[in-house]
Amino acid sequence: MPMTHPVPHSARRRLDAALDGLAITFRGMTAHPDEHNCECHWGSAEELARLKVPDVELDHDLLRRTWQAPDWSDHPSVLRRILPQFARSLVAGRADPFCGPEEIGRSFDRGHWQQWPDEQAAAVREFLHAWWSHTLTDPAPAVPAHDLLALNTKASGTLRPWLAHWETQTGTPATRHLAEAAAHWEYDLLSDELPWAAWDDEDDEGERRAELTAWLLDHARPRLIAHGAPDELLHRIRLLGLTGPARWEDPHWPGPHRY
């Protein structure tokens, strides 16, 4: 019988506590009384009114339209209103599959949550970190690790802390997620593109790409070699360290049909 790798109780307890913390911290929050949005593009007056009543569950479609809308006059208040339910939906993998994870991260970013009062900012920060820790130890997370990394990077404005934590997680699930992420990223990175959309922060795209590439070369590749990853994947990562003709004339370059 194959061995299973259940999520450590500590990671699950931490995530549950973080979700409870959001519910307590943001209990009673509402959108601004004067908040409005276009009925043609967002929703009805009746739906808008629900955002101004605290602690009432929203249906899935209304929740999606609310976090996704980029044009609230007071996005922080709207985000605080929906955050406990939004976080539970995210952890369960119920976000709109047609919205990239970076779109979810942008909703956090638009809310400027790191500028909120200390208790509120700490609750959001703990949720993101607890969710990340849980995902890396879960053999089958609802949201793949590479998607959550894109979300957290956009939500927090930084990549390094998430990669640093991944380095400390050396169990089988985290290493398997690393191989899956590298396979997911290599096509874009070998095309000199960041493997998630960064259209609103183009100045940071090159820096993020360079940081992720360096991490794959310095940490991920040696780790994957030690765990017997496929040679093809290891060569693709190695090619990230080459530029110009040295890259595309390498015998392991996958060819113009792919890039």
Side-chain angles (χ1 to χ4, degrees):
M1 179 178 296
M3 293 182 63
T4 60
H5 300 275
V7 180
H9 292 308
S10 58
R12 183 70 245 186
R13 284 196 302 268
R14 182 184 178 187
L15 180 56
D16 288 342
L19 291 168
D20 289 343
L22 291 177
I24 293 169
T25 302
F26 297 100
R27 181 176 297 153
M29 297 288 181
T30 66
H32 192 279
D34 297 328
E35 187 62 80
H36 63 280
N37 213 311
C38 174
E39 290 194 24
C40 296
H41 297 94
W42 177 77
S44 68
E46 291 78 10
E47 289 174 318
L48 181 61
R50 292 177 67 83
L51 300 183
K52 300 175 183 180
V53 178
D55 308 325
V56 174
E57 290 281 306
L58 310 179
D59 66 63
H60 177 74
D61 183 62
L62 178 56
L63 178 65
R64 177 194 58 79
R65 283 183 279 124
T66 300
W67 70 255
Q68 197 174 7
D71 52 355
W72 298 111
S73 59
D74 186 349
H75 190 91
S77 291
V78 171
L79 183 59
R80 284 191 286 263
R81 161 63 179 86
I82 67 172
L83 196 49
Q85 182 184 355
F86 186 26
R88 294 196 306 273
S89 178
L90 292 176
V91 168
R94 292 197 297 267
D96 186 344
F98 297 104
C99 295
E102 63 277 7
E103 289 296 326
I104 299 170
R106 283 194 186 98
S107 187
F108 280 86
D109 182 53
R110 283 194 297 267
H112 304 297
W113 65 269
Q114 296 181 88
Q115 300 172 24
W116 293 356
D118 290 348
E119 181 181 7
Q120 295 179 8
V124 178
R125 184 178 300 108
E126 173 58 15
F127 163 65
L128 294 175
H129 282 273
W131 188 17
W132 181 233
S133 181
H134 180 271
T135 296
L136 293 180
T137 57
D138 187 344
V143 177
H146 58 265
D147 281 346
L148 185 52
L149 181 67
L151 189 160
N152 283 349
T153 298
K154 186 58 190 174
S156 65
T158 183
L159 176 61
R160 184 60 206 171
W162 314 107
L163 297 181
H165 184 69
W166 207 338
E167 292 176 14
T168 70
Q169 301 301 303
T170 57
T172 299
T175 301
R176 185 180 301 122
H177 298 329
L178 181 58
E180 292 170 354
H184 182 81
W185 292 332
E186 55 92 2
Y187 180 93
D188 290 307
L189 291 175
L190 282 173
S191 300
D192 295 322
E193 295 179 356
L194 191 67
W196 55 80
W199 56 266
D200 62 344
D201 54 0
E202 292 180 358
D203 289 345
D204 292 336
E205 181 177 356
E207 179 182 343
R208 295 270 188 274
R209 184 178 69 248
E211 188 174 4
L212 182 59
T213 297
W215 186 75
L216 283 171
L217 290 166
D218 296 342
H219 171 75
R221 189 167 184 271
R223 178 168 167 178
L224 293 175
I225 289 173
H227 285 80
D231 288 343
E232 182 181 14
L233 177 60
L234 297 175
H235 280 298
R236 299 283 169 81
I237 299 174
R238 177 184 59 80
L239 287 171
L240 293 173
L242 306 178
T243 59
R247 176 183 290 181
W248 61 72
E249 292 177 2
D250 188 278
H252 293 281
W253 173 250
H257 64 286
R258 289 192 69 230
Y259 293 89

